[in-house]
Structure formats: C-alpha cells, structure tokens
Amino acid sequence: MEFLDAVFSRRTTNGPLRPDPVSPEHQQLLIRAAAAAPSQFNSQPWRFVLIEDPGTIAEVARISGESMTQVMSEGTFFHRYRRYFRFSQKEMDQTRSGMLFDRLPALLRPFTGQVFTDSGQKLMNRLRVPQKLGEDNRKLVAGSPLLVGVMLERQEYRPEQLSGFYSVFSMGAAMENLWLTTTQLGMGIQFVSFPMEVPENWQRIVEMLRVPDDLELMAVYRLGYLPERQHRPTIDWSSRERKLPSQFVFRETCERPQTGWDEDSRPGV
Ligand SMILES: Cc1cc2nc3c(=O)[nH]c(=O)nc-3n(C[C@H](O)[C@H](O)[C@H](O)COP(=O)(O)O)c2cc1C
C-alpha cells in the first residue's frame, strides 16, 4: 500500500471485527511501527499491553458497556461533549467538525432537538436507550480478538510539566503509526474510551491488567481484522468530515488564512 493511501484511508472502526485472532506477525508489526515513532530525547515513554485472553476481554467489555450506560443515563456524556454533536448534515456542513448523530434509535428521532434537555434525558432513560447503547458497546468490545492498552512512564508523564506534554505527544505519534499500520493489514481499530469516563471503572481495568505503579494506563483500543461488509452503527464515531484549509491554516501570521486550497481539500484527494 502506498504511504499516502494508508494516511487517507485510515479509519476508526465502529462496527464488529472478525473474531479470528490477530496473527503474531501482525501484532509484532503493529508494535514495531508504534515504536518507530519519534519521542522527546528518544525517551520512548510508551508501554503496551496486548490482551487476547477471552475472560479479560469479556470483563473489559462489561466495564465498557456499563460505563457507557452510566454516563449516558446520568447525562454526563451529553453534557461533557455536546459541543461535538451535530444532528443534521446542514449543521455538519457549517462546522465541518464534530460527529453526525443522524442515526439515533428510531424511537428517539422525533425528539432529536431535545436530547440535551432534561426532558429529553428523562425520555431516553425511560426508553432505556443508555442500556441499549451500552449493550451494543459491550458486544463490540467483547467480540474483538485483541485489545491493546497503551501506558506511559509516570516519570515522563507529569501532566503539570512540559515532559507531560512531550510524553503524550510522543504516545500520539506512536499510536498514529500503529493506527496507520492497521490500514495496511486490513484491520480495524477503535478507542475503548467509556471506562475512562468513570474513574472507578478505569481503576478496575488498571487493576485487572496489573499496571504497575510506575506506569499510567492512558488508553485501551480494540483491534481485529475487518469483516467484508461494514454497517454504520447507531452512534458513528468515525467521520470523513474535515475543516477546510482556510479554517485551520494560516500564512506568515495567524491573521492571514490560507486561501486557494479549499476546493481540493476532501480527505483522500
Ligand atoms: C484522542 C482521541 C480520542 C478518541 N476517542 C474516541 C472514542 O472514545 N471512541 C471512538 O470510537 N473513537 C474515538 N476517537 C476517534 C475519533 O472519533 C475519530 O478519529 C474521528 O471521528 C474521525 O474519524 P476517523 O478516525 O474515522 O477519521 C478518538 C480519537 C482520538 C484521536
């Protein structure tokens, strides 16, 4: 695969993955690609834990589904992230960022505009939407043959210091390398982020993975080979939408937006 093809076709995978194990060669390649990333002073602050044990995956999945149900029914999720929600293509076209929630469960569609109101929340809870979404999430995670946890050395990850920023930056580069490599291998990858929204649930995962005190568990991903056909799920965490260059690129000073690039700016073009 050409390098730029991989860059432009990289995706977040929302849907199910094939249950087949990820081959040891591919697991090794993913980690080699991650480790090839740049890091501050070549510190390589990242650590990875590869998880294939079905019992551990099932437990992470349970915690993930439960966390999703919890933050959705308490309203924390919508409150925290409402600025990223778009409910129509028109809204999406205006912002060119965020995520399009145009496939809400059928029962909720007439109430789209009220999702962020108290009455909308009550209605969702009454219809058990958080439970349904949580169960969908649990199944997705449980059906993944491989989880990858990425950790940072606490000595480097000091959020109040510059090294905190550098270590997160380096980890981002490593994860992007790994993510791009999934594209070449016909694999999918998705953040398992809901447990992070509920600190005590994240702690349960930290304990289950026996993360030592000198490491901080930063993120968990689910991975596997992609099935032939993929359907767009209720909540689509992947978006092809991107801002126009004139919205985020400047020339010489930040007072002068880049002009002339917008016409040819679709991802992958
Ligand atoms: C820091 C970060 C956090 C993310 N969190 C989640 C997440 O919690 N769940 C998820 O499915 N995708 C998550 N994503 C993926 C984004 O939703 C996705 O990159 C974006 O919608 C663009 O879609 P694409 O990756 O398919 O191009 C995250 C990505 C990043 C870089």
Side-chain angles (χ1 to χ4, degrees), residues 10-14 98-99 179 190-194 221 236-240 242:
R10 183 209 52 77
R11 295 275 182 286
T12 292
T13 305
N14 290 305
M99 294 180 10
W179 207 321
Q190 186 180 28
F191 226 114
V192 179
S193 59
F194 278 98
Y221 294 81
D236 190 353
W237 302 103
S238 168
S239 175
R240 291 293 84 211
R242 293 298 187 266

Side-chain angles (χ1 to χ4, degrees), residues 86-96 100 102 232 241:
R86 316 280 177 255
F87 290 111
S88 67
Q89 190 57 50
K90 190 166 156 235
E91 236 187 303
M92 196 55 152
D93 292 343
Q94 278 159 4
T95 58
R96 305 185 68 98
L100 184 58
D102 59 344
R232 214 171 146 228
E241 207 69 51

Side-chain angles (χ1 to χ4, degrees), residues 21-127:
V22 176
S23 76
E25 295 75 26
H26 287 172
Q27 294 188 29
Q28 199 176 348
L29 188 59
L30 290 166
I31 297 301
R32 271 180 62 210
S39 58
Q40 183 209 15
F41 284 113
N42 195 24
S43 53
Q44 303 169 61
W46 46 68
R47 299 288 182 278
F48 297 95
V49 52
L50 302 168
I51 305 146
E52 293 186 283
D53 176 65
T56 310
I57 293 177
E59 186 56 12
V60 172
R62 204 176 58 76
I63 294 173
S64 180
E66 253 179 51
S67 307
M68 184 174 194
T69 298
Q70 182 177 334
V71 296
M72 290 216 164
S73 55
E74 286 171 353
T76 344
F77 181 77
F78 297 112
H79 193 257
R80 225 171 256 168
Y81 300 120
R82 63 186 299 170
R83 68 181 184 279
Y84 305 113
F85 283 61
R86 316 280 177 255
F87 290 111
S88 67
Q89 190 57 50
K90 190 166 156 235
E91 236 187 303
M92 196 55 152
D93 292 343
Q94 278 159 4
T95 58
R96 305 185 68 98
S97 68
M99 294 180 10
L100 184 58
F101 286 79
D102 59 344
R103 284 180 41 111
L104 289 171
L107 276 170
L108 267 189
R109 263 173 237 151
F111 310 99
T112 296
Q114 299 166 33
V115 164
F116 294 122
T117 62
D118 277 354
S119 53
Q121 181 71 53
K122 282 193 189 122
L123 178 71
M124 275 204 295
N125 290 356
R126 213 165 41 242
L127 298 174

Side-chain angles (χ1 to χ4, degrees), residues 58-247:
E59 186 56 12
V60 172
R62 204 176 58 76
I63 294 173
S64 180
E66 253 179 51
S67 307
M68 184 174 194
T69 298
Q70 182 177 334
V71 296
M72 290 216 164
S73 55
E74 286 171 353
T76 344
F77 181 77
F78 297 112
H79 193 257
R80 225 171 256 168
Y81 300 120
R82 63 186 299 170
R83 68 181 184 279
Y84 305 113
F85 283 61
R86 316 280 177 255
F87 290 111
S88 67
Q89 190 57 50
K90 190 166 156 235
E91 236 187 303
M92 196 55 152
D93 292 343
Q94 278 159 4
T95 58
R96 305 185 68 98
S97 68
M99 294 180 10
L100 184 58
F101 286 79
D102 59 344
R103 284 180 41 111
L104 289 171
L107 276 170
L108 267 189
R109 263 173 237 151
F111 310 99
T112 296
Q114 299 166 33
V115 164
F116 294 122
T117 62
D118 277 354
S119 53
Q121 181 71 53
K122 282 193 189 122
L123 178 71
M124 275 204 295
N125 290 356
R126 213 165 41 242
L127 298 174
R128 297 183 61 77
V129 173
Q131 279 77 6
K132 184 194 172 312
L133 294 175
E135 177 55 12
D136 288 352
N137 178 267
R138 187 198 64 76
K139 279 194 208 140
L140 279 183
V141 178
S144 309
L146 177 66
L147 303 183
V148 175
V150 55
M151 295 161 287
L152 281 178
E153 286 177 303
R154 276 191 202 272
Q155 192 183 310
E156 299 295 326
Y157 177 61
R158 293 171 189 259
E160 71 289 354
Q161 289 177 17
L162 210 44
S163 79
F165 162 72
Y166 287 141
S167 61
V168 172
F169 196 103
S170 306
M171 179 186 71
M175 285 314 303
E176 177 67 355
N177 276 5
L178 188 154
W179 207 321
L180 288 170
T181 305
T182 61
T183 307
Q184 161 140 347
L185 300 180
M187 293 177 64
I189 177 167
Q190 186 180 28
F191 226 114
V192 179
S193 59
F194 278 98
M196 298 172 86
E197 304 283 340
V198 184
E200 57 276 22
N201 287 356
W202 192 242
Q203 191 51 35
R204 282 157 71 193
I205 295 184
V206 167
E207 283 161 20
M208 199 177 9
L209 301 183
R210 310 253 199 283
V211 177
D213 287 345
D214 59 337
L215 298 179
E216 175 93 18
L217 180 65
M218 301 298 290
V220 172
Y221 294 81
R222 64 182 191 94
L223 290 90
Y225 297 109
L226 288 170
E228 291 274 294
R229 289 158 61 85
Q230 294 172 61
H231 300 286
R232 214 171 146 228
T234 313
I235 295 196
D236 190 353
W237 302 103
S238 168
S239 175
R240 291 293 84 211
E241 207 69 51
R242 293 298 187 266
K243 291 182 183 175
L244 296 169
S246 63
Q247 293 175 293

